[in-house]
Amino acid sequence: MIADVWAQLKELDDAPQPLTKARGGRRQVLQAVETITPPQFYPVATIRQALTDRVDEYLAQPIATERLLLNVDPGVGKTWLGVATAHKEQMQGRKVAYIMPRHDFFDNLMTVSQYGPEYFFQWLPRTAQTERFHETCHLTDQIGTWIKRGHESTKFCSQVCGHDHMRHSCLYWHQIEEYKRRTQALGVPPILCLQHQHLTLGHTLLP
């Protein structure tokens, strides 16, 4: 329907007729002040291929000197492209981090991935038992206050709980060993699913 409307507008634009308006008993010619140009419509598959080519070109650089930002409408396939690109790099043995806006976004990744969940590693937060997560820390309130004051979380863990607890009993820090075990089992590093704050505050598994 929209395409038909634009086609009709294009025909009118190709063969314009002067518009007239009655004013004081006389006809006055109105000049066109704007030409309507029909927008371009592309199949989603075409857009996805163009985005894939651009991302591949960017990643082929030995050293990236700038960041690649994709300004794409919802539904085109940004998540699909991100996961497909992550798997492509993963299968070449590279360590890949997928930065998520929130933890439940992990479910979105599972819906578009061609591989199973074992090829991903969702880093869990320090949390008490919840409907979504098992308990990873029994001092979540205290360490939360510590971090908000600008202190490093590892110092809290080492000074309050101790290194022995961190190595052998802490479920939060045990994720490091689980990530290593998963890497050995798969033969490639699982895609590390992190949160936005890990880009600015850092993460123990990031280089």
Side-chain angles (χ1 to χ4, degrees):
M1 177 66 70
I2 295 178
D4 293 338
V5 172
W6 281 117
Q8 295 173 16
L9 289 174
K10 187 65 171 60
E11 293 176 2
L12 291 175
D13 194 41
D14 290 340
Q17 300 294 327
L19 302 176
T20 62
K21 179 180 180 181
R23 183 176 182 180
R26 299 169 56 188
R27 285 282 175 182
Q28 181 181 28
V29 177
L30 302 179
Q31 299 296 326
V33 295
E34 180 180 2
T35 300
I36 300 176
T37 302
Q40 297 296 320
F41 296 95
Y42 299 98
V44 171
T46 301
I47 299 176
R48 286 187 175 185
Q49 186 59 55
L51 292 174
T52 300
D53 294 342
R54 182 65 186 92
V55 171
D56 289 344
E57 178 185 348
Y58 175 79
L59 293 176
Q61 301 177 92
I63 299 178
T65 58
E66 55 189 12
R67 297 292 179 263
L68 177 62
L69 300 178
L70 302 177
N71 184 14
V72 185
D73 291 335
V76 171
K78 295 186 296 295
T79 302
W80 170 87
L81 175 62
V83 171
T85 302
H87 280 311
K88 188 183 302 182
E89 296 295 308
Q90 176 189 40
M91 292 307 164
Q92 297 181 37
R94 297 188 176 96
K95 180 185 287 188
V96 180
Y98 195 108
I99 310 301
M100 307 183 298
R102 58 189 186 277
H103 281 286
D104 61 2
F105 193 81
F106 184 80
D107 299 336
N108 294 28
L109 306 186
M110 295 299 96
T111 62
V112 298
S113 174
Q114 60 179 317
Y115 296 93
E118 67 272 14
Y119 282 86
F120 295 82
F121 191 89
Q122 183 182 16
W123 184 267
L124 302 182
R126 291 180 176 88
T127 179
Q129 180 74 35
T130 66
E131 182 177 348
R132 183 177 182 85
F133 302 123
H134 60 75
E135 181 182 271
T136 58
C137 178
H138 64 287
L139 297 174
T140 54
D141 294 337
Q142 294 86 338
I143 195 172
T145 301
W146 174 271
I147 294 174
K148 288 180 181 178
R149 291 175 178 173
H151 303 302
E152 294 182 6
S153 60
T154 52
K155 287 186 177 180
F156 179 95
C157 297
S158 60
Q159 294 176 12
V160 176
C161 296
H163 290 287
D164 186 68
H165 176 81
M166 292 172 64
R167 284 193 296 267
H168 303 294
S169 304
C170 179
L171 295 178
Y172 178 81
W173 289 109
H174 179 69
Q175 294 181 97
I176 297 176
E177 296 304 318
E178 177 61 22
Y179 177 84
K180 294 178 181 178
R181 186 199 66 77
R182 188 87 63 81
T183 299
Q184 292 180 345
L186 292 176
V188 293
I191 297 172
L192 184 60
C193 299
L194 303 176
Q195 302 297 299
H196 283 172
Q197 66 266 23
H198 292 130
L199 284 179
T200 55
L201 301 178
H203 189 275
T204 185
L205 291 177
L206 289 179

